[in-house]
């Protein structure tokens, strides 16, 4: 059950920015818009604000968890219009730090040892503060300088409350609007839930950090600070403190004698190594999390922190991604289209010829541009725009990956504007493809699978007969499935309508109780609760 007090406050903000007017066409939409205008918060109007700006301001007013959701959705150009994603990209997560004494108490409560047996010093003034946690400098008894990341008090309860509200809204939307199957609001919210819950689990962040640190332990490309696992927990994480130059401080980087071109190209190498060699990538590489080690200017090394959000692709998805990127780099657009269609990401039939024409028209001019004009990130965003037109939805791990690539290229070009991600990346990708799918790799896979195939050979006639029988019975099963789907759709629509009616009656009850005082608040609220309970029943 969603928390009704929070649901009511969210509904008021939704009405304040008239977000119900942004819903897709539906017979019930005029009624919802009418109810929206009955709420006093909507009477102020929205002026000349665009749809995207109204959405952005509403999320900022709803607080940090909704802001983080908006920041993630800013990368989903395969699902949302460009005006929305451009506005969401400007969301700012600005949160004041909480009391340092309270942070110290929380650290002490979550340590496996007494506080004085772990720390020689602990600075109650935070180095940084965010919506989920804040970071304090400290010193261990052996003299090592560390940083202590501690979750905000009560943040888990607030996150779960807001996630339940989001999930409730997504279920209502998906049940009521048949076209929502093209952007799967329930699945999108579920994907976000896994991301934000990962940020709340500092043990998971510590595990991600240590995994990534082992991958680059003897590499001059990337340094990940060591986490002190013996004194870390789900609420507190202690890791070595690093001293590096912020990656967006170009003047200090040049003053340290670091070649900007070498630094930018090594950033591209890190991206391809994380994705294709280790299949484990840092998915939050914005400038606040990346630094440059000035110790060895001839071989510049990046330093990364905050590995709470990390991505990993399945072997199939990694194969599809590698072939797609290589197809773009080789300008083999028919192969790119074949890969997208075979990946099964579309929720509707694709006109292959038209899709190939539009992809070629989009990609060919970009690939023929001069080096200074050739940018990968805008190309990715335009490809997502094209994907949305064909109801093509990439898996969430791909979205995290594309977000990372956009950050990498943005950082690289801020350091060295002539960065050519295509020229740097192509040999790395081709070497990986040869290693994974070349003749030697193919022979090795055949040798490994031969015993399994030999064992299955006697069963092949029975398997073939079963397959033919399944094909014969397929039409009847298909008709049965279509009937059940239609029945469930009608049932879900009735429940969704009841849920919206319940929320509307609850809003009217709140308005009556707060502003009108006619005595109808309790009957309206009771009727709304009954409708809402019926709509949410299992």
């Amino acid at each position: 059950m969603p928390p009704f007090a929070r649901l009511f406050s969210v509904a008021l903000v939704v009405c304040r920015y008239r977000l119900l007017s942004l819903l897709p066409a539906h017979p019930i939409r005029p009624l919802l818009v009418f109810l929206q205008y009955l709420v006093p918060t909507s009477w102020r109007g929205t002026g000349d604000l665009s749809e995207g700006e109204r959405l952005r301001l509403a999320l900022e007013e709803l607080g940090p968890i909704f802001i983080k959701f908006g920041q993630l959705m800013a990368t989903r150009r395969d699902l949302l219009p460009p005006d929305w994603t451009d506005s969401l990209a400007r969301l700012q997560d600005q949160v004041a730090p909480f009391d340092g004494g309270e942070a110290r108490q929380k650290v002490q409560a979550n340590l496996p040892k007494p506080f004085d047996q772990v720390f020689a010093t602990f600075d109650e003034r935070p180095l940084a503060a965010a919506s989920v946690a804040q970071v304090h400098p400290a010193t261990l008894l052996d003299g090592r300088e560390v940083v202590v990341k501690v979750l905000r008090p009560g943040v888990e309860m607030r996150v779960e409350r807001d996630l339940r509200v989001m999930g409730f809204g997504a279920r209502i939307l998906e049940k009521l609007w048949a076209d929502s199957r093209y952007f799967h609001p329930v699945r999108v919210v579920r994907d976000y839930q896994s991301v934000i819950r990962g940020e709340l689990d500092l043990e998971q962040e510590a595990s991600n950090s240590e995994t990534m640190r082992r991958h680059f332990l003897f590499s001059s490309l990337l340094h990940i600070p060591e986490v002190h696992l013996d004194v870390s927990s789900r609420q507190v994480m202690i890791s070595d403190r690093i001293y590096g130059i912020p990656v967006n401080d170009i003047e200090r980087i040049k003053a340290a004698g670091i070649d900007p071109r070498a630094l930018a190209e090594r950033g591209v190498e890190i991206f391809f190594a994380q994705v294709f060699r280790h299949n484990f990538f840092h998915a939050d590489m914005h400038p606040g999390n990346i630094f440059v080690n000035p110790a060895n200017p001839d071989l510049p090394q990046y330093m990364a922190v905050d590995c709470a959000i990390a991505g990993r692709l399945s072997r199939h998805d990694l194969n599809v991604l590698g072939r797609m990127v290589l197809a773009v780099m080789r300008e083999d657009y028919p192969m790119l289209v074949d890969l997208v269609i075979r990946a099964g990401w579309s929720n509707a039939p694709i006109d292959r010829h038209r899709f190939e024409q539009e992809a070629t028209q989009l990609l060919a001019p970009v690939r023929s541009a001069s080096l200074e004009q050739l940018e990968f990130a805008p190309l990715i965003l335009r490809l997502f725009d094209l994907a949305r037109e064909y109801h093509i939805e990439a898996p969430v791990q791909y979205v995290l990956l594309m977000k990372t690539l956009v950050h990498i290229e943005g950082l690289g070009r801020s350091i060295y504007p002539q960065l050519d991600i295509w020229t740097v990346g192509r040999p790395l990708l081709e070497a990986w493809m040869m290693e994974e799918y070349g003749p030697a790799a193919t022979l090795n896979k055949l040798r490994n699978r031969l015993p399994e195939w030999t064992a299955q050979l006697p069963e092949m006639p029975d398997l073939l007969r079963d397959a033919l029988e399944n094909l014969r019975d397929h039409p009847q099963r298909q008709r049965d499935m279509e009937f059940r789907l239609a029945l469930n759709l009608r049932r879900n629509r009735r429940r969704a309508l009841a849920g919206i009616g319940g929320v509307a009656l609850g809003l009217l009850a709140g308005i009556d109780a707060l502003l009108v005082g006619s005595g109808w608040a309790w009957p309206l609220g009771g009727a709304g609760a009954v409708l809402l309970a019926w709509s949410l029943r299992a």
Side-chain angles (χ1 to χ4, degrees), residues 53-317:
E53 287 300 308
R54 286 153 58 189
L55 187 60
R56 178 181 67 82
L57 292 171
L59 293 177
E60 286 182 346
E61 193 167 322
L62 288 171
I65 306 308
F66 283 87
I67 289 174
K68 282 185 171 293
F69 179 66
Q71 289 171 335
L72 180 65
M73 292 308 298
T75 65
R76 299 309 304 261
R77 292 178 73 111
D78 56 331
L79 300 179
L80 302 178
D83 170 49
W84 293 21
T85 54
D86 291 343
S87 296
L88 293 178
R90 295 194 291 273
L91 282 167
Q92 298 295 319
D93 184 12
Q94 298 176 338
V95 181
F98 65 92
D99 181 67
E102 191 174 3
R104 182 188 182 102
Q105 292 175 5
K106 187 163 187 179
V107 171
Q108 189 166 2
N110 284 275
L111 287 175
K113 306 175 183 177
F115 194 87
D116 294 338
Q117 293 183 21
V118 177
F119 297 110
T121 64
F122 181 89
D123 193 341
E124 294 185 359
R125 293 169 298 178
L127 280 175
S131 56
V132 170
Q134 68 185 33
V135 176
H136 291 262
T139 307
L140 300 180
L141 291 179
D142 61 5
R144 294 176 69 174
E145 290 186 82
V146 295
V147 290
V148 183
K149 186 173 184 178
V150 54
L151 292 183
R152 284 181 170 272
V155 66
E156 293 168 296
M157 181 182 67
R158 293 193 297 273
V159 166
E160 290 302 323
R161 177 200 65 188
D162 284 352
L163 290 180
R164 290 201 302 274
V165 170
M166 288 181 193
F168 172 76
R171 289 193 300 273
I172 290 292
L173 189 63
E174 193 158 297
K175 289 176 181 178
L176 191 60
W177 272 270
D179 286 346
S180 67
R181 66 183 182 276
Y182 291 134
F183 58 95
H184 302 298
V186 172
R187 194 167 75 190
V188 168
V189 170
R190 191 183 303 126
D191 290 338
Y192 169 67
Q193 288 173 343
S194 66
V195 172
I196 189 64
R197 283 176 178 145
E199 290 197 65
L200 290 174
D201 186 353
L202 297 187
E203 285 181 336
Q204 181 61 51
E205 180 179 343
S207 174
N208 292 345
S209 297
E210 284 300 285
T211 299
M212 205 167 294
R213 191 176 77 88
R214 287 195 301 271
H215 289 163
F216 291 89
L217 191 58
F218 302 105
S219 170
S220 62
L221 289 173
L222 178 66
H223 170 74
I224 306 291
E226 181 180 358
V227 177
H228 297 265
L229 298 174
D230 57 327
V231 286
S232 296
S233 66
R234 186 181 176 87
Q235 300 263 336
V236 173
M237 188 182 80
I238 302 171
S239 57
D240 285 348
R241 186 172 183 178
I242 60 170
Y243 290 93
I245 303 171
V247 73
N248 54 359
D249 193 342
I250 309 303
E251 295 304 318
R252 283 183 61 191
I253 289 173
K254 291 180 179 178
I258 297 171
D259 179 13
R261 176 174 180 174
L263 181 63
E265 291 182 350
R266 286 169 78 83
V268 178
E269 289 183 49
I270 290 170
F271 173 79
F272 279 90
Q274 285 187 331
V275 176
F276 295 106
R277 188 182 308 152
H278 305 299
N279 190 17
F280 192 74
F281 57 92
H282 193 307
D284 197 19
M285 297 190 77
H286 61 76
N289 289 338
I290 309 298
F291 302 85
V292 178
N293 188 352
N296 189 356
D298 295 331
L299 286 174
Q301 183 185 51
Y302 286 88
M303 311 168 85
V305 298
D306 195 353
C307 301
I309 306 176
R312 192 192 300 272
L313 300 176
S314 70
R315 193 157 190 84
H316 169 72
D317 286 342

Side-chain angles (χ1 to χ4, degrees), residues 2 41 62 75 203 249 253 354 454 462 503 507:
T41 56
L62 288 171
T75 65
E203 285 181 336
D249 193 342
I253 289 173
R354 180 167 165 262
T454 303
D462 292 336
V503 172
L507 282 172

